[in-house]
Amino acid sequence: MNDLAPLLTPEGRALLDDVRGTAPADELAVATRLRREHPAELVSAALGQARLRQRAVVKFGAEDAERMFFTPNGVEQSTRASVAAYRAGRLKSLGVTSVADLCCGIGGDAIALARAGIRVLAVDRDPLTAAAARANADALGLAGLIDVREADVTEVDTASYDAVFVDPARRGGRGRIFDPEAYSPPLSWAVRAALRAPHAALKVAPGIPHEAVPAQAEAEWISDGGDVKEAVLWFGGTAPGGVRATLLPGPRTLPGRGLPDPEVRSVGRYLYEPDGAVIRAHLVAEVAQEVEGGLVDATIAYVTSDALHTSPYATAYEITDRLPFNVKKLKALLREREVGILTVKKRGSAVEPEELRRKALPKPQGPNAVTVFLTRVAGAPTMLLGHPA
């Protein structure tokens, strides 16, 4: 159904309660039973919404997801609640009390802003998406703080708001869009909108080239649970030209200090794998300084050190072996060490981890676990073996 209205009726809400938690294998039986008393189209819509809610739990948590309304694109493209809450908190700390949320989608960011006590104008041009945002504001008791408007964001007057938040569409008919000027609306339009506001935050893909970041913006890369989720360009009340990496939960933020690239050195006793947000923000040098280390190769974001340091921005491993890349030698070593669990990580290697795992450990046996890093050391393909420190 391309209309949420039937699901918002008493009959539709009762159906949603009835199909909550339906397993895929049970859908046919459930649909057959419910279609005896309800329109087939409404039953299909309720089951479809139940599937979307199940998918949304990972982003919104079960309590919210089971009350919210989603579109397929909305589930795919919406911000994870923890990331949206962090961003809303940062806007709140800047003194922002009202935000124009442009390209609001199903309202995930508007919800986080409203929960931070910020008044929100949520705008989206797609009727179904705007309807979902409106339904979500109502379902979560936030309708008093969220005003949803169906409109073209380029035609909305934001002059009366403390801040602008823009989340351009970064997917098209062929998948992800990597060119910021191919976003909808383009990044250049979003920057102009940002510069007209006292404060602004523009959500962009984490792969945005550093040279595409406007000089007036501070760029922040955010990861959650070790997975890089997004980059945000901040305007107003921040450090123009600044760079930072923020790790959730926490938050823990590593600001850039403009350090030169770390020196390359021989592999020490410990290897440090920087968080993805740190790598995207080009802040590996800051981590290297923190752990008193250097790079294993000039082109690889692995840091090595002789000393063990605890850092929230990198995971430490104790290295036990260094071998030239050779599957037969690795297989023999794993058999000798009675390895039953093999974790393979790679950076700077064309070998697929699953392929190596299959060849080197065809029959896992033994109580021990090993992590293998496929990488380059001084330009040479190398295997580093170790375990979490």
Side-chain angles (χ1 to χ4, degrees):
M1 296 176 69
N2 293 320
D3 182 7
L4 286 176
L7 291 176
L8 300 176
T9 63
E11 182 182 14
R13 291 181 184 277
L15 268 176
L16 286 171
D17 289 339
D18 204 343
V19 302
R20 179 180 298 158
T22 300
D26 299 329
E27 280 192 3
L28 181 58
V30 171
T32 301
R33 171 175 60 83
L34 292 175
R35 283 171 181 164
R36 298 189 187 112
E37 299 179 6
H38 304 280
E41 190 177 37
L42 183 59
V43 172
S44 295
L47 285 168
Q49 191 62 224
R51 286 194 298 271
L52 294 175
R53 286 177 168 182
Q54 290 169 10
R55 286 172 52 195
V57 167
V58 69
K59 286 190 174 182
F60 292 92
E63 185 176 351
D64 281 353
E66 289 179 358
R67 292 187 290 164
M68 293 173 66
F69 294 85
F70 299 96
T71 66
N73 285 341
V75 173
E76 183 71 26
Q77 299 179 21
S78 56
T79 304
R80 184 179 290 258
S82 55
V83 179
Y86 162 74
R87 199 186 318 102
R90 189 171 177 192
L91 283 167
K92 183 76 171 180
S93 71
L94 293 171
V96 169
T97 61
S98 61
V99 171
D101 178 2
L102 308 180
C103 308
C104 69
I106 54 96
D109 288 286
I111 290 166
L113 291 164
R115 283 177 168 167
I118 297 172
R119 180 171 56 88
V120 186
L121 170 65
V123 184
D124 203 284
R125 68 181 180 183
D126 178 67
L128 181 61
T129 302
R134 192 174 294 110
N136 289 334
D138 182 64
L140 300 180
L142 299 169
L145 283 170
I146 301 174
D147 175 20
V148 179
R149 187 180 305 175
E150 181 189 327
D152 185 330
V153 297
T154 64
E155 299 175 358
V156 175
D157 182 6
T158 63
S160 62
Y161 293 85
D162 296 339
V164 167
F165 172 66
V166 188
D167 181 6
R170 295 180 299 282
R171 286 183 179 271
R174 298 182 178 179
R176 294 184 184 274
I177 296 172
F178 297 98
D179 178 6
E181 282 308 295
Y183 292 173
S184 180
L187 180 60
S188 56
W189 178 89
V191 170
R192 289 195 297 272
L195 293 174
R196 290 194 296 267
H199 300 280
L202 310 183
K203 178 180 171 180
V204 294
I208 185 172
H210 280 234
E211 56 269 21
V213 175
Q216 305 95 320
E218 177 195 64
E220 178 179 33
W221 279 262
I222 302 173
S223 68
D224 188 12
D227 295 329
V228 183
K229 295 301 178 183
E230 64 179 54
V232 185
L233 307 182
W234 294 92
F235 298 79
T238 58
V243 175
R244 63 166 66 188
T246 295
L247 282 56
L248 302 176
R252 292 184 169 90
T253 296
L254 179 66
R257 300 194 297 275
L259 300 179
D261 291 340
E263 293 184 358
V264 177
R265 51 151 292 173
S266 59
V267 177
R269 181 175 178 181
Y270 297 97
L271 186 77
Y272 294 86
E273 182 182 29
D275 183 90
V278 171
I279 295 172
R280 293 282 194 177
H282 296 179
L283 298 180
V284 174
E286 279 71 7
V287 168
Q289 184 181 76
E290 187 177 282
V291 302
E292 301 177 334
L295 298 179
V296 300
D297 186 276
T299 63
I300 304 296
Y302 282 140
V303 175
T304 186
S305 173
D306 296 318
L308 178 61
H309 297 268
T310 300
S311 170
Y313 307 111
T315 302
Y317 295 84
E318 184 172 7
I319 298 302
T320 57
D321 300 271
R322 171 182 170 179
L323 304 171
F325 181 79
N326 187 298
V327 177
K328 289 184 178 180
K329 287 185 178 180
L330 176 62
K331 184 176 180 180
L333 185 59
L334 297 178
R335 186 169 54 249
E336 177 187 328
R337 301 273 175 88
E338 297 184 324
V339 171
I341 302 173
L342 177 63
T343 300
V344 181
K345 294 175 174 284
K346 74 165 190 171
R347 189 160 292 154
S349 172
V351 178
E352 290 300 323
E354 188 54 43
E355 178 187 356
L356 180 67
R357 190 181 297 110
R358 187 172 58 253
K359 291 181 178 179
L361 198 65
K363 296 180 180 179
Q365 55 186 355
N368 300 318
V370 167
T371 299
V372 176
F373 295 88
L374 303 178
T375 187
R376 292 194 302 272
V377 174
T382 303
M383 299 184 297
L384 302 175
L385 279 64
H387 52 79

